[in-house]
Amino acid sequence: MNIKQHIAHHLVEVHRGGNWTDVSITDTLKDVSRQQALTITPFSPNSIAMLLHHITYWNRIVALRGQNIEPEINEQNGMNVPALNSDEDWDNLKHDNILSAEELATIIEGYDIGSLYNPILPGHSSAYKNFQGQVEHVHYHLGQIVMIKKYIQNTAS
């Protein structure tokens, strides 16, 4: 496996499971209800749904960069989760997150390996830093999601 394949593989694993931390978005969210996903806790201004939408948003931002497209980053930085008026909306958000990871993994795998350490776009860091950085970014926010979920579950008991 080359470095691009490793990065893409790690990205998919943190979303679907099987990564070295043994924690994934899919496993973490499997028993999170829509109500829990929308809950704001005293220690974070972000809900689980907001963080999941933010991860999905940034998967797509990095995917666009990997396609040599300079995306416009919205003022809310991807924290503007759409209304989740039903359990189906929540399920769709979770599904869209997985799709965004797979889309980015495909971009990473297809990226020119000779350009991996060059700026991904003018004025940006290298493609490697963008791709690997997104894997790290997902792990960071997954940690927040885990903490919020534990808080919600422990206060509901």
Side-chain angles (χ1 to χ4, degrees):
M1 225 187 282
N2 67 36
I3 189 69
K4 297 182 313 174
Q5 292 166 323
H6 279 290
I7 296 168
H9 188 72
H10 288 303
L11 179 73
V12 171
E13 285 182 333
V14 72
H15 284 79
R16 285 198 177 271
N19 68 74
W20 71 275
T21 66
D22 203 30
V23 180
S24 71
I25 290 174
T26 299
D27 289 341
T28 300
L29 298 181
K30 69 183 171 195
D31 61 347
V32 172
S33 70
R34 177 177 60 94
Q35 180 183 354
Q36 290 171 326
L38 293 170
T39 300
I40 300 292
T41 62
F43 66 87
S44 176
N46 304 315
S47 68
I48 290 171
M50 291 168 73
L51 291 167
L52 185 65
H53 185 265
H54 175 76
I55 292 167
T56 303
Y57 177 84
W58 273 95
N59 283 341
R60 293 208 166 106
I61 290 291
V62 175
L64 288 170
R65 288 177 179 171
Q67 297 172 83
N68 202 34
I69 299 168
E70 178 72 74
E72 186 173 323
I73 298 169
N74 70 35
E75 203 173 278
Q76 297 83 16
N77 196 27
M79 291 293 193
N80 54 327
V81 65
L84 301 177
N85 297 316
S86 67
D87 291 342
E88 182 181 7
D89 291 342
W90 172 228
D91 289 340
N92 289 339
L93 179 62
K94 292 185 286 186
H95 179 71
D96 191 42
N97 173 260
I98 298 300
L99 288 178
S100 72
E102 292 171 348
E103 292 163 4
L104 177 54
T106 299
I107 298 298
I108 293 168
E109 288 174 341
Y111 200 81
D112 175 35
I113 200 158
S115 300
L116 197 58
Y117 300 101
N118 296 334
I120 196 165
L121 291 170
H124 288 270
S125 59
S126 70
Y128 170 80
K129 283 187 177 182
N130 274 259
F131 298 150
Q132 181 60 35
Q134 182 57 15
V135 174
E136 295 166 9
H137 182 227
V138 175
H139 276 281
Y140 169 76
H141 286 305
L142 176 55
Q144 292 177 307
I145 290 169
V146 167
M147 296 301 293
I148 292 169
K149 176 184 171 180
K150 285 182 180 190
Y151 177 86
I152 291 168
Q153 289 178 336
N154 287 337
T155 57
S157 319

